[in-house]
Amino acid sequence: MSTPVVPTLSEITLAEPRGFCAGVDRAIEIVERALQKFGAPIYVRHEIVHNTYVVNDLKQKGAIFIEELDDVPPGATLVFSAHGVSRAVQDEARARGFSIFDATCPLVTKVHVEVAKLAKEGFEFIMIGHKGHPEVEGTMGQLDSGIHLVEDVADVARVQPAQTDKLAVVTQTTLSVDDAAEIAEAVRQRFPKVREPKQQDICYATQNRQDAVKVLSPQVDIVIVVGSPTSSNSNRLRELAQKLGTESHMVDNADELQAAWFEGKSRVGLTAGASAPEVLVNQVIERIRAYGAVSVRKMNGIEETLKFPLPKGLRIEPQA
Ligand code: 10D
Ligand code: SF4
């Protein structure tokens, strides 16, 4: 089938920053290095990051993705996904004797550590996040009880902590910055003594990608987000552009683009979630160019340089 032509299209503007964050880079590298060092199969609990291409690529290299530890054979090497796991999963995996590499993003672990520390001081928690998301399950699973999940402002009115003197708020790292601020304000209104993190739990990558979409959206007629449907942070980018009044679509790959979206439009904005690889962005660019866009330019934006170290046992140690 020949590629349709959209005569109105002129330019693609790339959001900066977009795509892989430091936690995703590290998580994928952990699986790749484990495969190189120990050979296939390497078991991974949950999708290492929420991206179809990344998961399929690692499957081809010998990774096996599972949800239940029952599906991991004795003696296997097991990697925890970047979203983190509950204490119960950690304990069970250890008890079963797997060789474990933890690919939980250090910025998610930071939230886990904060929860454990404040719980020892007698705090109860309000967690702002999306029910059922693996990061929320992992963070809430740092304690047996005492973490109350709120998904929106209405939930804040319903939450029933046992006491209000020692109450702290924590959040999922990949939320809409604006929605989370609104929910946090409702928490503050209802519980004025609530303790908030010194630095917000929403991570730098989530913040930077949303900030970039805020700059990009008014400059373009349509925003395309590369990301998988399961990816919270990617969904937030599409939602944000749409809220700002710019038509927006999220695609898992170039084949999901529809020429009809671009009819009558000239300027296309393109971004990618923190788990979406640049190879997919390039394929999307090529497809939109084939529709008729003549130029590609990069938006000015923050340059990210953060890099997290790999776990011991997977680092390349300098030769003695
Ligand atoms: O769904 P999500 O945005 O939390 O995860 P995704 O795997 O798409 O992106 C990386 C973010 C992580 C691992 C949560 F911190
Ligand atoms: Fe870590 Fe943020 Fe990336 Fe999640 S989105 S993996 S918290 S850097």
Side-chain angles (χ1 to χ4, degrees), residues 161-200:
Q163 47 78 39
T164 57
D165 285 335
K166 286 192 162 186
L167 203 53
V169 68
V170 290
T171 78
Q172 191 178 334
T173 57
T174 53
L175 298 177
S176 149
V177 173
D178 296 335
D179 290 355
E182 200 186 321
I183 300 167
E185 179 54 29
V187 172
R188 236 173 272 130
Q189 292 282 330
R190 181 154 177 226
F191 307 109
K193 283 200 267 178
V194 72
R195 177 184 168 131
E196 295 184 63
K198 274 190 222 91
Q199 229 193 335
Q200 63 157 4

Side-chain angles (χ1 to χ4, degrees), residues 94-114:
R94 243 182 252 129
R96 289 188 182 213
F98 302 133
S99 167
I100 301 167
F101 290 100
D102 188 358
T104 304
C105 176
L107 299 180
V108 173
T109 303
K110 191 189 97 193
V111 180
H112 292 183
V113 169
E114 180 78 354

